[in-house]
Amino acid sequence: MTATAPRPFGRTLCAMITPFTAAGALDPDAARAHAARLVAEGCDGIVLSGTTGESPTTTDAEKSALLRAVRAEVGDGVPLLSGVGGPDTAATLRLARQAEDAGADGLLVVSPYYSRPPQAAVEAYFLRVAESTGLPLMVYDIPGRTGVRIEPATLLRLAEHPRVVAVKDCSYDLLGATKVLARTSLAYYSGCEELNLPLYAVGGAGYVSTVANVAPRQVRAPLDAFDAGLTDEAARLNGLTARLVELMMASGLPGTVTAKALLDAGPVREPLQPAGREAADGLRKAYEELLAA
């Protein structure tokens, strides 16, 4: 049952954007204000320096400063994870230790991308990260970006390590996730908003959501209804979010771009480009319709 699913980092997590000033510098004050709003509006935890947080174009020093600023704002009661994964194991280990020093509660670790390593190498990579700090890991399976799956058989083996505790799942493989859920205690967090409710219904822990940057209460509502036993209402509420989810996550623009088009959070960093006027207007219309629903 979902009620007994492990939730090492809470249930409703936001993959937070990284605010920048108009000149493109890290804006710690805006980050603190945004994090405070997310928590006030129903986010149990926050993931920093993930894809939505523009981790490929922020420096190591900026990642640490962001984490420290948000920690100072939300205190110790809100789980904070820091994205540390990448194509270079040595750099990933360095970022993992830096995140631990800066006060992270856990690490979001994407599979190594571009080089497309075989599964034995993927497994070795995650085990190296797990051994590098005392922090728990959420392994991030997003083959559409990395070019490599974390196969269910690999997850079964990784689950034997005491610090590999969770998965952020963007594999679009509900059967594979169900098989791993049945055989391990890994906490499965949906990383694709359209699968938040389906994955939760088969035993998932919750979600890590980009859309929660702009509509945290609305993204959370279907899970609240499901927990209350109101499955029809959960489905209805889930349907209300569909148009905004589609425009933010499946329109051809990265979620970082669409989230920042709806927030006063500064520019995106190149090579990303801001949303055009037509896309921004469409996003604003869908957002306002969701808030009014």
Side-chain angles (χ1 to χ4, degrees):
M1 292 178 60
T2 300
T4 59
R7 296 173 183 165
F9 307 112
R11 183 183 59 143
T12 55
L13 282 71
C14 179
M16 196 177 104
I17 53 101
T18 298
F20 299 129
T21 66
L26 178 68
D27 190 338
D29 291 338
R32 290 172 63 131
H34 187 53
R37 171 181 169 261
L38 294 175
V39 173
E41 296 194 15
C43 293
D44 296 339
I46 297 173
V47 175
L48 300 166
S49 298
T51 307
T52 304
E54 300 181 70
S55 59
T57 53
T58 55
T59 67
D60 291 4
E62 286 174 326
K63 290 176 174 65
S64 182
L66 175 67
L67 178 55
R68 292 182 189 278
V70 173
R71 172 61 76 204
E73 180 64 32
V74 303
D76 294 332
V78 178
L80 298 182
L81 285 79
S82 186
V84 302
D88 178 353
T89 298
T92 297
L93 299 179
R94 183 177 66 250
L95 280 174
R97 297 182 186 112
Q98 174 182 296
E100 184 175 42
D101 290 343
D105 297 299
L107 304 172
L108 177 71
V109 189
V110 72
S111 52
Y113 45 83
Y114 187 73
S115 57
R116 302 186 66 171
Q119 288 298 296
V122 171
E123 181 180 352
Y125 161 86
F126 282 112
L127 292 176
R128 286 270 281 148
V129 182
E131 289 296 325
S132 69
T133 76
L135 296 177
L137 268 61
M138 178 186 289
V139 301
Y140 188 5
D141 188 14
I142 184 166
R145 285 186 180 270
T146 65
V148 61
R149 272 292 308 269
I150 309 171
E151 296 289 349
T154 302
L155 286 168
L156 291 176
R157 292 190 296 272
L158 287 172
E160 297 175 4
H161 194 287
R163 283 191 290 280
V164 178
V165 301
V167 178
K168 180 181 178 184
D169 182 34
C170 289
S171 68
Y172 288 94
D173 180 8
L174 195 58
L175 176 59
T178 302
K179 289 163 63 176
V180 176
L181 279 165
R183 295 178 58 184
T184 75
S185 60
L186 287 174
Y188 257 76
Y189 291 87
S190 171
C192 306
E193 280 82 359
E194 64 270 37
L195 293 181
N196 285 0
L197 185 59
L199 185 58
Y200 196 62
V202 297
Y207 57 72
V208 179
S209 169
T210 295
V211 178
N213 277 285
V214 302
R217 294 184 187 276
Q218 290 77 11
V219 175
R220 177 180 174 133
L223 271 59
D224 288 343
F226 188 88
D227 278 349
L230 304 173
T231 54
D232 288 347
E233 178 67 359
R236 186 188 74 82
L237 292 168
N238 189 63
L240 292 178
T241 68
R243 181 57 178 160
L244 183 61
V245 167
E246 181 180 26
L247 289 176
M248 287 189 66
M249 307 305 294
S251 67
L253 293 175
T256 304
V257 172
T258 57
K260 283 194 167 181
L262 290 168
L263 295 168
D264 183 17
V268 292
R269 283 187 176 168
E270 292 185 358
L272 296 180
Q273 295 290 322
R277 178 65 180 272
E278 183 178 353
D281 288 347
L283 285 162
R284 177 63 58 183
K285 182 175 184 291
Y287 174 64
E288 291 175 351
E289 288 174 352
L290 176 59
L291 294 187

